[in-house]
C-alpha cells in the first residue's frame, strides 16, 4: 500500500512536467502542413525556386528566403519520399517533412520554416563505418520511428 501514493505522486509530477515543458511558450504554434506543387510550397516559404531537378519522380529546387538558403524537394509518391529520406539519413542533417515534400538545409533554417509550412522536423545523425554506434542512425538519441535502412539509388542531393 505504501507504493501506491508514491506512484501517484510520480505520475502527477510527470504530468506537471509535461504540461510545463510542453506549454512553455518557447515555440510558435505550428500551422497545418501545407500541400501543393513545388512552386506553391516555395511561395508559402517566401522563396523564388531555382529548379535543379524536374523529373517524373521528384522535383528539386534551391531556395533563398528571409530564413536563409534551403533545398525544397517534392515527390510524386509517398514511397519515393520515404526512400529519399532513408537515403538522406546516411548523410545526417535536419529535414522538414510534409506530405510529399521535404525541406533540407541548416537546422536553424529548417526549424524556422516550420512556422510557415508546418510539417515535422526530422534529425538524422551522420553515419560512419567506424563510429561503433551499432548503426542506429540517430546519434542524438532521438527515435522518430521510421526505418533506417537506406534504399539504393534514392538520389539524395545537398
Amino acid at each position: 500500500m505504501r507504493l501506491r501514493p508514491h506512484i501517484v505522486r510520480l505520475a502527477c509530477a510527470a504530468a506537471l512536467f509535461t504540461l510545463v515543458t510542453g506549454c512553455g511558450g518557447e515555440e510558435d504554434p505550428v500551422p497545418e502542413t501545407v500541400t501543393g506543387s513545388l512552386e506553391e510550397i516555395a511561395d508559402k516559404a517566401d522563396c523564388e525556386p531555382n529548379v535543379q531537378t524536374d523529373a517524373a519522380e521528384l522535383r528539386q529546387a534551391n531556395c533563398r528566403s528571409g530564413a536563409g538558403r534551403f533545398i525544397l524537394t517534392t515527390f510524386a509518391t509517398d514511397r519515393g519520399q520515404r526512400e529519399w529520406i532513408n537515403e538522406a539519413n546516411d548523410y545526417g542533417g535536419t529535414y522538414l517533412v510534409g506530405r510529399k515534400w521535404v525541406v533540407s538545409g541548416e537546422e536553424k533554417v529548417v526549424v524556422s520554416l516550420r512556422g510557415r509550412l508546418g510539417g515535422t522536423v526530422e534529425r538524422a545523425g551522420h553515419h560512419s563505418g567506424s563510429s561503433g554506434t551499432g548503426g542506429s542512425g540517430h546519434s542524438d538519441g532521438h527515435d522518430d520511428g521510421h526505418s533506417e535502412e537506406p534504399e539504393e539509388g534514392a538520389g539524395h542531393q545537398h
Side-chain angles (χ1 to χ4, degrees):
M1 282 296 209
R2 298 175 92 195
L3 190 57
R4 187 175 299 267
H6 178 69
I7 292 172
V8 170
R9 282 192 295 269
L10 282 174
C12 289
L16 181 60
F17 177 78
T18 301
L19 180 63
V20 169
T21 59
C23 301
E26 292 181 23
E27 293 185 25
D28 293 330
V30 177
E32 186 173 327
T33 302
V34 301
T35 59
S37 69
L38 183 135
E39 289 80 8
E40 290 168 333
I41 296 168
D43 184 55
K44 292 175 183 172
D46 194 28
C47 108
E48 184 68 37
N50 179 4
V51 177
Q52 300 296 306
T53 304
D54 194 358
E57 63 275 0
L58 68 85
R59 297 184 71 216
Q60 192 167 58
N62 293 328
C63 282
R64 181 186 305 264
S65 72
R69 293 176 47 189
F70 59 95
I71 297 172
L72 173 61
T73 308
T74 57
F75 302 88
T77 65
D78 292 322
R79 180 179 177 183
Q81 177 185 23
R82 184 46 54 193
E83 289 174 352
W84 186 96
I85 290 170
N86 288 345
E87 171 116 351
N89 282 333
D90 284 342
Y91 299 95
T94 304
Y95 306 93
L96 181 60
V97 180
R99 177 100 200 299
K100 295 186 182 176
W101 59 264
V102 173
V103 168
S104 54
E106 291 184 25
E107 183 169 359
K108 65 180 181 172
V109 175
V110 169
V111 170
S112 71
L113 286 169
R114 187 172 186 223
R116 290 180 164 268
L117 303 178
T120 303
V121 174
E122 293 188 20
R123 292 174 180 88
H126 180 72
H127 294 223
S128 156
S130 62
S131 69
T133 62
S136 72
H138 284 88
S139 62
D140 62 357
H142 175 73
D143 181 10
D144 55 13
H146 68 269
S147 170
E148 292 300 324
E149 298 176 24
E151 299 287 333
E152 291 298 317
H156 174 69
Q157 178 182 2
H158 268 287

